[in-house]
Amino acid sequence: MKAMALRAPGGLDRIVAEDRPDPGQPGPGEIRVALHGGSLNYHDLSVATGKMKADDGRILLADGAGIVESVGEGVSDFAPGDLVVSCFFPDWQDGAPTAGDFARTPGDGIDGFARDVAVLPATAFTKAPKGYDAVEAATITTAGLTAWRALVGDGGLKAGDTVLLLGTGGVSIWALQIARMFGARVAITSSSDEKLERARQLGAEFTLNYRSEPEWGRRIREWTGGVGVDHVVEVGGPGTLAQSIEAVRIGGHISLIGVLTGFSGEVPTGAFMTKQARLQGLIVGSRRQQQDFVRALEANGVRPVVDRRFPLADLAEAFRHEEGASHFGKIGIEW
């Protein structure tokens, strides 16, 4: 089979197409999946560029979707012909988090889905939302499930809540769609007025260009009548956290899911204490949460926003497109 692998020490010019042995037929509890789609995340980019070290020859991509070709003994959840999608943490089935690193994350600690075929335990997949193609399905594994867990699983999102989203990447746009699905009101920031207009078309009520208004936390709070937002999906990290704390209401919820501005920095502890808010770090979610997310998507007819699709052979070029930060929503890989 064909696979896109990363040669040490990493870098986009070190992504190579290779022939790998076909994995064969599934054993007990396993399924064989002909893969046809993936999507890119900041985590994938960090691995591909060598910022996060992976073993030499690692097959890339945490997100993968495709058609079940055969099932092993004892598998009852899937049948040949089913469209399935991978899980970011294939060993975390349900309950409280069980992993704090990426040792078992596809495309990082183990081989990912930039390949023709995978044979893995059935529990490493869920069914894809009905009506999705493989690329659309692959967008839910990392970005979609992260947004779902942040707002619904951890945040307890409900109709009428106010939600602040930072930027217009994959997680933020998924969070916008989920928030609107629940009847929540959304504010979103970006440095691009064009992207803000697209976000308004998706249902964002209040938009703000953070380059022209760097003290955006106060403006967001003014939008809520001075109260502050119920939820913040914080993808920036230390460079944006102070403004997110300014924007959140007393007793609100901030989901810390990104480190786009760095891995460490100062926290305005006094302001945070007076807000009595809950700051929760999270990394994606469990298989059970992904199954819940799929049911919600099917019930509401929501489809992901895919910015652009690249063929698998152009994976390095797709990562360069991601580096340019011009995308809105998800970047898809299709083969």
Side-chain angles (χ1 to χ4, degrees):
M1 67 172 182
K2 295 292 185 184
M4 300 300 291
L6 182 68
R7 287 299 167 188
L12 300 186
D13 59 345
R14 303 284 289 171
I15 298 174
V16 295
E18 295 185 349
D19 288 320
R20 296 287 181 96
D22 186 280
Q25 291 306 306
E30 295 180 332
I31 60 175
R32 177 183 168 98
V33 180
L35 295 158
H36 296 293
S39 72
L40 302 189
N41 304 285
Y42 183 74
H43 180 92
D44 297 299
L45 179 63
S46 296
V47 173
T49 55
K51 292 178 182 177
M52 297 180 68
K53 299 301 181 183
D55 289 347
D56 182 48
R58 174 66 70 228
I59 298 175
L60 295 166
L61 295 190
D63 302 347
I67 302 296
V68 175
E69 291 190 324
S70 56
V71 303
E73 180 183 354
V75 174
S76 58
D77 289 351
F78 305 111
D82 287 344
L83 179 64
V84 296
V85 59
S86 62
C87 296
F88 187 89
F89 288 122
D91 305 321
W92 181 15
Q93 296 296 296
D94 199 358
T98 58
D101 58 29
F102 306 108
R104 292 281 299 157
T105 295
D108 189 337
I110 61 176
D111 279 336
F113 296 101
R115 49 176 157 161
D116 289 335
V117 179
V119 174
L120 291 168
T123 52
F125 297 90
T126 70
K127 287 185 178 178
K130 291 181 176 66
Y132 276 32
D133 64 27
V135 169
E136 291 174 320
T139 69
I140 77 171
T141 296
T142 303
L145 185 56
T146 297
W148 174 264
R149 178 185 165 191
L151 290 175
V152 181
D154 294 343
L157 181 70
K158 62 185 183 300
D161 280 357
T162 50
V163 178
L164 169 60
L165 307 174
L166 310 186
T168 55
V171 173
S172 295
I173 296 304
W174 259 125
L176 169 56
Q177 293 179 281
I178 292 166
R180 295 301 300 134
M181 187 167 67
F182 273 74
R185 301 168 60 207
V186 177
I188 193 167
T189 70
S190 173
S191 61
S192 165
D193 291 336
E194 179 184 356
K195 290 181 179 181
L196 290 174
E197 176 55 36
R198 293 185 65 184
R200 278 191 287 270
Q201 293 171 9
L202 287 173
E205 180 179 323
F206 183 80
T207 61
L208 184 147
N209 189 312
Y210 64 80
R211 290 205 188 280
S212 58
E213 298 196 51
E215 302 296 316
W216 44 266
R218 177 183 55 79
R219 284 293 313 280
I220 298 295
R221 193 156 43 81
E222 289 173 354
W223 169 65
T224 65
V227 175
V229 295
D230 299 298
H231 309 267
V232 182
V233 179
E234 170 57 76
V235 300
T240 53
L241 185 56
Q243 291 301 310
S244 291
I245 291 171
E246 173 70 18
V248 77
R249 69 167 171 83
I250 294 174
H253 179 231
I254 302 173
S255 298
L256 181 61
I257 64 171
V259 291
L260 297 179
T261 63
F263 288 90
S264 63
E266 293 186 7
V267 175
T269 52
F272 185 60
M273 181 182 67
T274 60
K275 283 297 181 78
Q276 304 173 70
R278 178 161 55 105
L279 175 63
Q280 181 170 353
L282 68 139
I283 307 173
V284 196
S286 69
R287 182 173 186 254
R288 174 62 63 189
Q289 288 173 320
Q290 183 161 307
Q291 290 170 321
D292 293 343
F293 183 33
V294 168
R295 283 193 293 272
L297 293 172
E298 290 179 342
N300 290 274
V302 174
R303 301 179 79 98
V305 176
V306 179
D307 174 83
R308 186 175 167 187
R309 299 176 185 228
F310 290 80
L312 184 59
D314 292 345
L315 184 57
E317 188 60 32
F319 279 123
R320 291 187 181 96
H321 181 60
E322 183 180 16
E323 282 186 315
S326 65
H327 60 285
F328 182 94
K330 294 295 293 176
I331 300 169
I333 309 296
E334 192 167 36
W335 66 98

